[in-house]
Amino acid sequence: DFAHQFHITYSSMVSGACVFAGQPYRCATTRFPGDQLVAKTHETSVPNCDGCPENETLIYDHCKNHPQWVDVGKLPDFPRRACGQNPIKYTECIDDVKHLFDDRVYLFRGTHDRCYLNGAVANVQALYGQMLTSPADQMKFVNNLPFPHTLPTNSTPFFNHSEPAWFDGPGECLRWVYPDIKYAGTYKEENVYAFNQSLYMDDPGVGVNEKGFIYIPDMCKPGKAAAEGCKMLMLTNGCHDFGGGDDKDFSRYGEANGIVILKACVGGYVDKDRFPQAHEVQRGLLDVYGQLDTNYVFQSAPHMKFVGKVLRAVTGW
């Protein structure tokens, strides 16, 4: 989810996205005509709702479990208009959507994904389809493989199977976003570096971890001739370390193709008194439900601001 949200919010710095099962931009807190509402309590995971009556909110995961309720024609309105127009009214808001026009997007949903029901990721496709110059050429949606909810690597089996399906999710997405990518190399543990994230933490109570990680391929290290031409991939899943899950799979492609892998980490302390409904953040996830801020997709929101500051520090932008 966060990869897609971050792509649109910071489109002036991000030129593409790989979305392995995601819901549309700001969809989690947007009320649509067909939505059913529930009472807002400390137990509800959607503390903020755009368009809900007072003391009511949306069903949790309405965009993932009820994609037929989503008005896809409405989705581009917020990133286009939320910051005001002529002049811009809000700073630290959302980058101008013109930066999305030439981007490349890879989408994936397994046919046995029970977290994102059929139609959920198609709505993300529909949103991008209204914002890219040539969607048919710039976007690829893989939705015909019998995987469960996962980011599949070569060793991942199909649903209800035990043998590897040999589908290289990291490679497939990277070869689409970066058409010149060809093969994976060798993961090198010595190329993983931890860094102090407290330098980019404005609020110690929003779940930011004390450290993040960066994988720097040999060819991208200072002094190397190819370093200035290196690309960057940001992994936006919660973490306590580097090397688990699909980290190594992406890093192998990074090593062979000059792609720095940046992993800004959450999973730290969450102030439950201030954020009693931040259940996903407490589980170590980035905020894609408005659990920390009403305008959780703005660059001023806690997690958006933190990850943006890390990206700017590493790139120098």
Side-chain angles (χ1 to χ4, degrees), residues 19-34:
V19 182
F20 288 86
Q23 60 183 312
Y25 190 75
R26 198 176 170 268
C27 191
T29 62
T30 301
R31 183 186 181 187
F32 302 102

Side-chain angles (χ1 to χ4, degrees), residues 250-305:
F250 281 109
S251 298
R252 291 186 185 100
Y253 279 96
E255 187 64 44
N257 298 279
I259 306 172
V260 175
I261 311 298
L262 177 61
K263 194 166 187 178
C265 294
V266 291
Y269 168 71
V270 179
D271 188 336
K272 297 180 182 179
D273 290 332
R274 291 165 53 206
F275 306 108
Q277 295 160 297
H279 305 302
E280 274 61 42
V281 180
Q282 292 169 25
R283 288 170 47 208
L285 302 176
L286 287 153
D287 184 20
V288 294
Y289 291 97
Q291 295 176 352
L292 299 176
D293 194 287
T294 301
N295 294 316
Y296 68 102
V297 297
F298 279 13
Q299 293 176 9
S300 59
H303 284 179
M304 281 290 180
K305 188 171 186 177

Side-chain angles (χ1 to χ4, degrees), residues 1 4-5 19-25 27 61-70 72 75 107-110 113-128 141 143 149:
D1 284 353
H4 167 53
Q5 317 287 318
V19 182
F20 288 86
Q23 60 183 312
Y25 190 75
C27 191
D61 272 347
H62 70 136
C63 297
K64 294 158 61 173
N65 295 327
H66 304 281
Q68 72 277 9
W69 293 350
V70 176
V72 294
L75 293 175
L107 305 173
F108 178 92
R109 176 190 175 269
D113 191 331
R114 295 175 179 174
C115 297
Y116 292 76
L117 300 188
N118 188 29
V121 185
N123 286 340
V124 179
Q125 179 189 33
L127 168 58
Y128 275 125
F141 183 18
N143 62 346
H149 179 64

